């Protein structure tokens, strides 16, 4: 059976309107709310079917890490859903400068 912490993370991700989460937001949630070891993030996210990609957005010249919901991909700063719908990352994320 899955660990309670994995189920708790899944509930949090499913409660969000976004099909992605930035690595920094994910680390913040795991540390501050779940009080879990950040070393377990990758394993838990892969168990939930999410995948990690590096994406540029917000006019910066470097890529940042985001985790995408199963079936989604990233192209040119947007998250593309399995139905072809597009969600700009910069609409939902404040750029950390």
């Amino acid at each position: 059976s899955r660990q309670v912490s994995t189920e708790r993370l899944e509930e949090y991700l499913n409660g969000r309107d976004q099909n992605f989460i930035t690595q920094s937001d994910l680390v913040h949630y795991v540390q501050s709310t779940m009080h879990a070891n950040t070393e377990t993030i990758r394993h838990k996210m892969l168990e939930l079917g999410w995948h990690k990609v590096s994406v540029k957005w917000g006019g910066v010249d470097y890529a940042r890490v985001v985790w995408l919901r199963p079936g989604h991909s990233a192209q040119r700063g947007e998250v593309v859903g399995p139905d072809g719908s597009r969600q700009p990352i910069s609409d939902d994320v404040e750029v950390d400068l």
Side-chain angles (χ1 to χ4, degrees), residues 13-29:
L13 294 169
N14 288 339
R16 296 168 45 94
D17 290 334
Q18 300 163 324
N19 294 310
F20 67 93
I21 186 168
T22 63
Q23 178 78 7
S24 57
D25 286 348
L26 182 59
V27 167
H28 177 73
Y29 174 76

Side-chain angles (χ1 to χ4, degrees), residues 3-21:
Q3 292 183 351
V4 172
S5 59
T6 303
E7 291 174 355
R8 187 172 170 195
L9 178 59
E10 182 177 40
E11 287 177 9
Y12 170 71
L13 294 169
N14 288 339
R16 296 168 45 94
D17 290 334
Q18 300 163 324
N19 294 310
F20 67 93
I21 186 168

Side-chain angles (χ1 to χ4, degrees), residues 35-47:
H35 305 290
N37 184 343
T38 57
E39 298 298 319
T40 65
I41 291 174
R42 182 178 183 279
H43 174 73
K44 291 181 186 314
M45 292 299 281
L46 293 174
E47 184 178 341

Side-chain angles (χ1 to χ4, degrees), residues 3-93:
Q3 292 183 351
V4 172
S5 59
T6 303
E7 291 174 355
R8 187 172 170 195
L9 178 59
E10 182 177 40
E11 287 177 9
Y12 170 71
L13 294 169
N14 288 339
R16 296 168 45 94
D17 290 334
Q18 300 163 324
N19 294 310
F20 67 93
I21 186 168
T22 63
Q23 178 78 7
S24 57
D25 286 348
L26 182 59
V27 167
H28 177 73
Y29 174 76
V30 168
Q31 287 178 332
S32 66
T33 305
M34 294 178 63
H35 305 290
N37 184 343
T38 57
E39 298 298 319
T40 65
I41 291 174
R42 182 178 183 279
H43 174 73
K44 291 181 186 314
M45 292 299 281
L46 293 174
E47 184 178 341
L48 295 173
W50 289 59
H51 60 282
K52 182 170 68 169
V53 297
S54 294
V55 182
K56 293 180 184 179
W57 75 86
V60 298
D61 60 354
Y62 57 89
R64 289 168 276 181
V65 174
V66 295
W67 286 89
L68 301 176
R69 191 176 296 280
H72 292 74
S73 62
Q75 296 175 353
R76 297 185 177 148
E78 294 181 317
V79 175
V80 181
D83 60 355
S85 62
R86 295 186 168 289
Q87 178 182 20
I89 295 173
S90 60
D91 285 358
D92 297 309
V93 175

